[in-house]
Amino acid sequence: MSETEEKESVVSKRSRLTLQIVGGAIFGALSLVLSFLAAFLPRTPEGLAYFDPVSIIWVICYLIFGPLAGLISAVIGMLLLMPFDPFAPIGPLMKFTATVALILPSYLLMKYVKKDVSSGTLKEPKTYATYGVIGIIVRIGVMVPFNIVVYIALGYPPQFLGAYLIIVVLINALQSVWDLVIPYLIVYGAKIDEKFEIW
């Protein structure tokens, strides 16, 4: 590689990094705006939402800009939600944990199994679906003990814990489907990934 090509490569990497940071920040802020819609969405009697627009924004950011941007958007979104969420700090923290637990497996599988961390890898429907199912399992595995701790800490009757956890599993599975399918259709269906080509 010539000196000129090496310089262009460094600039290109810096440009991508800048876009990922900016993209993550913008989508993190956007998730706060959409979080106000959550008050109008249907919920279970326990207060669990059937549909979460905030997580969808974070996953969209991940698919467009890459893992770093997705993480940045989730962190910023969680912090911005703290002053506004009626269940803060538990609500935003649970939302962050659930979303990261859902998408982190796909990144790790791309890095250590596929050896190709790129948007193109996730664009393949079979790969996306496989990684998605694994992500859903991980998310449920993480959120069940998280909810047990919260349930006990809030002093709810222990005799209803089993029924509550069944609802937690079903809601997390349902939310995960929305969190994966809607971003995929938006990003890859509209070919947004091809317009940016950041990762």
Side-chain angles (χ1 to χ4, degrees):
M1 180 183 293
S2 67
E3 185 176 344
T4 301
E5 290 175 330
E6 189 173 339
K7 287 181 179 178
E8 288 178 351
S9 176
V10 171
V11 171
S12 178
K13 289 180 180 178
R14 287 178 179 173
S15 298
R16 285 199 299 270
L17 179 60
T18 300
L19 286 172
Q20 289 172 341
I21 294 172
V22 172
I26 291 173
F27 274 74
L30 179 60
S31 69
L32 173 63
V33 176
L34 290 184
S35 70
F36 293 106
L37 294 175
F40 305 99
L41 297 176
R43 294 177 177 269
T44 68
E46 295 76 20
L48 302 172
Y50 295 103
F51 177 84
D52 187 359
V54 173
S55 295
I56 289 173
I57 292 298
W58 295 345
V59 177
I60 288 175
C61 181
Y62 167 56
L63 296 183
I64 295 175
F65 296 99
L68 176 61
L71 180 60
I72 290 173
S73 70
V75 170
I76 291 176
M78 176 187 65
L79 295 176
L80 291 177
L81 284 170
M82 290 295 184
F84 303 100
D85 194 304
F87 302 103
I90 298 301
L93 181 58
M94 292 184 79
K95 195 184 304 287
F96 171 83
T97 303
T99 307
V100 171
L102 179 66
I103 65 177
L104 183 60
S106 65
Y107 166 69
L108 295 176
L109 288 166
M110 281 190 290
K111 184 174 182 179
Y112 296 108
V113 177
K114 283 283 188 179
K115 308 293 185 181
D116 180 17
V117 180
S118 69
S119 179
T121 299
L122 290 180
K123 189 172 186 177
E124 208 286 311
K126 185 177 179 180
T127 299
Y128 189 80
T130 302
Y131 290 0
V133 170
I134 295 172
I136 291 172
I137 294 171
V138 171
R139 172 173 172 164
I140 291 173
V142 169
M143 296 311 294
V144 165
F146 198 157
N147 274 273
I148 291 175
V149 172
V150 172
Y151 188 91
I152 294 174
L154 293 177
Y156 290 122
Q159 62 266 32
F160 298 121
L161 178 59
Y164 174 75
L165 291 180
I166 292 174
I167 295 172
V168 167
V169 170
L170 294 176
I171 290 298
N172 271 278
L174 179 61
Q175 285 187 353
S176 295
V177 172
W178 299 131
D179 292 347
L180 292 170
V181 173
I182 294 176
Y184 184 90
L185 294 176
I186 291 175
V187 175
Y188 296 121
K191 301 186 185 303
I192 296 176
D193 62 308
E194 297 178 9
K195 297 174 184 176
F196 285 87
E197 294 186 342
I198 294 173
W199 67 300

